[in-house]
Amino acid sequence: MLYHIVTYGCQMNVHESEKIANVLEELNYQPTENREDADIIVFNTCAIREGAENRAFGNIGALKQQKKRNKNLIIVVCGCMTQQKDVQEKIFKTFPFVDIVIGTHNLYNLKTLISRKITDRKRIKEYQESGELHEELIAKRTSGDNAWVNIMYGCNNFCTYCIVPYVRGREISRKKSDILNEIKDIIATNSYKTITLLGQNVNSYGNDDKTQGTFSELLQDICNLDGDFKLTFMTSHPKDLSDEVIDVMSKNDKILKELHLPVQSGSNKILKAMNRNYTIEHYLDIVKKLRDKMPNIRLTTDIIVGFPGETEEDFNQTCELVKKVRYDGIFAFMYSKRSGTVAEKLPNQIDEDTKHNRVNYLLDLEKEIKAQKEN
Ligand code: 5AD
Ligand code: SF4
């Protein structure tokens, strides 16, 4: 019996698929690279932009023929897309050959649901409004010499464009002792060079449970563990990146000198409309602190172009910021309207042509900076 997992979206999902793989192997399935050979196919979906959702819809739809050929094939759709109740309903109705549709908060129950499906054959749809920690889900690590470790789940920030807080729920930090034990086990295998800590906003680790301490303390405790490993983390919200974290980063050789620090826009007006809670002046101040202590730090960022109300002048400010910071990498996205978010209802939505032009301009700028850096 063979399984095949299709993963969309961020590193969080990549790691979640490692947990799904473990569940499937506990049920005696073996992995296959070839979807056509699979007895069970799992789509771990992403909802961050419309494009990701459309790709998933297309690829799920394409399975109809395979299901016709193999009536026993089990198809599961889970992840952020199906944590939106209306989308879950739509997938269940549109694709009658899909067997199990669950949201992010029901993943812990996947093993039971697959067993139930095998015994009573009925289609399953499960939705839970909010979630809790599930330490019993362990990963079958498949990301080469990098080991992902969740330190927290969810997001409390409600950036006005973003669907994540709606599909991942409120911030929940794992217990520090559980994180340290997982990392000790990873080190003991001698199979991984880097450990990457994961959270929507790792800098707010412990805010929901002060007894766990802060993110900078967690970083230091991990660095204090014996072993030959490198440590990195994502994602950091500029409003929460503390001086202590910068300090711990600079003082510990185990921490890689790289930071992904999404700025989203170079215009204070747009940052305010995005509910980002920092100014460009504050952001540049952090960049200065980072570079003062770690002159060769590799900085990368996310930028959204075409947020509602973004004028040429706002976009110019983003370009100016990019020229000032001279990033080592930029992920530039065209704003995508997400249902249920505040920005969905904002006036002055930007047309697609303008978004394309702006994203291309940024990518050219990034290339130019890269070429200059390489010389
Ligand atoms: N449209 C476009 N990009 C988005 N991101 C988040 N939500 C949206 C959206 N609605 C981007 C942000 C974030 C990255 C993971 O995805 O830049 O940092
Ligand atoms: Fe989305 Fe903002 Fe949370 Fe990041 S911090 S997941 S962009 S709401």
Side-chain angles (χ1 to χ4, degrees):
M1 298 286 274
L2 300 172
Y3 73 85
H4 181 79
I5 303 175
V6 185
T7 307
Y8 300 88
C10 64
Q11 283 76 14
M12 200 72 104
N13 262 20
V14 171
H15 185 39
E16 209 142 83
S17 287
E18 295 182 334
K19 297 179 187 177
I20 295 170
N22 191 62
V23 166
L24 297 173
E25 297 203 4
E26 282 177 357
L27 289 165
N28 291 322
Y29 289 96
Q30 295 299 313
T32 174
E33 293 287 318
N34 192 357
R35 202 195 66 189
E36 293 282 324
D37 297 339
D39 301 284
I40 183 163
I41 300 173
V42 180
F43 285 91
N44 190 10
T45 63
C46 168
I48 198 103
R49 282 171 290 274
E50 202 183 353
E53 290 203 338
N54 288 343
R55 268 198 308 282
F57 260 111
N59 290 333
I60 297 164
L63 283 186
K64 193 172 173 182
Q65 294 308 322
Q66 190 174 341
K67 183 82 176 204
K68 260 192 194 154
R69 287 193 298 275
N70 176 8
K71 292 270 182 287
N72 291 325
L73 171 67
I74 296 178
I75 301 172
V76 182
V77 185
C78 61
C80 290
M81 241 175 115
T82 41
Q83 184 61 37
Q84 304 164 87
K85 205 153 198 268
D86 54 332
V87 180
Q88 178 173 103
E89 300 286 346
K90 185 172 162 194
I91 289 176
F92 203 72
K93 271 204 200 107
T94 318
F95 304 120
F97 49 88
V98 168
D99 300 279
I100 300 175
V101 188
I102 54 173
T104 54
H105 299 312
N106 300 82
L107 191 70
Y108 74 96
N109 206 19
L110 183 63
K111 197 173 178 179
T112 312
L113 297 178
I114 294 172
S115 306
R116 197 167 95 202
K117 169 70 201 168
I118 292 171
T119 46
D120 77 6
R121 311 292 312 157
K122 283 198 195 107
R123 299 178 75 206
I124 296 168
K125 176 166 62 82
E126 295 229 331
Y127 178 85
Q128 212 172 291
E129 187 77 38
S130 61
E132 60 260 354
L133 283 178
H134 284 283
E135 288 295 334
E136 71 276 20
L137 280 178
I138 52 172
K140 185 209 169 219
R141 301 192 184 278
T142 53
S143 299
D145 56 15
N146 175 64
W148 309 106
V149 175
N150 281 117
I151 63 166
M152 58 192 301
Y153 300 90
C155 182
N156 290 356
N157 290 311
F158 290 93
C159 301
T160 54
Y161 51 80
C162 188
I163 196 146
V164 168
Y166 303 93
V167 293
R168 288 281 172 181
R170 295 296 67 71
E171 288 173 1
I172 311 181
S173 300
R174 287 180 71 196
K175 278 206 168 61
K176 192 196 272 192
S177 54
D178 288 330
I179 297 169
L180 290 175
N181 284 336
E182 182 176 348
I183 294 179
K184 280 183 205 158
D185 288 346
I186 290 168
I187 297 169
T189 64
N190 264 325
S191 309
Y192 305 97
K193 277 193 201 144
T194 39
I195 293 167
T196 305
L197 307 180
L198 290 177
Q200 305 299 345
N201 176 17
V202 287
N203 300 275
S204 56
Y205 175 78
N207 282 358
D208 57 308
D209 176 5
K210 301 281 185 212
T211 60
Q212 304 308 319
T214 63
F215 181 54
S216 61
E217 288 163 355
L218 174 68
L219 284 176
Q220 187 58 59
D221 289 348
I222 298 171
C223 288
N224 291 345
L225 296 174
D226 286 334
D228 184 17
F229 63 92
K230 296 287 181 198
L231 184 63
T232 187
F233 50 86
M234 63 179 62
T235 295
S236 293
H237 194 308
K239 79 176 164 59
D240 298 312
L241 186 76
S242 65
D243 289 351
E244 288 78 14
V245 168
I246 299 175
D247 225 42
V248 171
M249 271 186 94
S250 68
K251 284 188 180 140
N252 284 284
D253 288 342
K254 280 180 175 148
I255 303 184
L256 291 176
K257 302 302 176 267
E258 60 180 35
L259 189 69
H260 185 58
L261 197 61
V263 67
Q264 312 297 1
S265 168
S267 152
N268 281 334
K269 179 193 95 188
I270 296 294
L271 287 176
K272 194 157 199 281
M274 287 176 163
N275 189 32
R276 290 291 287 177
N277 281 303
Y278 55 83
T279 60
I280 283 306
E281 292 71 25
H282 178 70
Y283 186 90
L284 287 171
D285 194 42
I286 301 173
V287 171
K288 181 173 184 322
K289 278 184 194 162
L290 286 162
R291 289 204 166 131
D292 280 349
K293 295 211 161 161
M294 296 167 277
N296 294 321
I297 189 167
R298 222 187 102 77
L299 285 178
T300 54
T301 201
D302 291 343
I303 293 174
I304 297 177
V305 300
F307 183 83
E310 185 189 66
T311 60
E312 278 300 311
E313 171 53 22
D314 294 317
F315 179 64
N316 282 340
Q317 290 178 11
T318 300
C319 297
E320 285 311 307
L321 175 88
V322 166
K323 287 182 201 157
K324 264 189 207 152
V325 178
R326 298 172 65 76
Y327 291 101
D328 297 283
I330 297 174
F331 299 89
F333 306 106
M334 289 183 281
Y335 168 72
S336 168
K337 217 189 231 191
R338 302 286 66 209
S339 150
T341 61
V342 171
E344 182 197 8
K345 307 243 157 43
L346 289 179
N348 304 320
Q349 299 280 334
I350 307 296
D351 64 86
E352 294 303 302
D353 279 352
T354 306
K355 286 184 201 168
H356 269 114
N357 291 340
R358 288 180 185 171
V359 100
N360 287 336
Y361 190 88
L362 268 186
L363 293 177
D364 285 344
L365 196 55
E366 185 199 18
K367 259 192 234 149
E368 207 177 295
I369 294 170
K370 214 178 222 166
Q372 286 168 0
K373 282 195 170 186
E374 279 162 7
N375 278 325

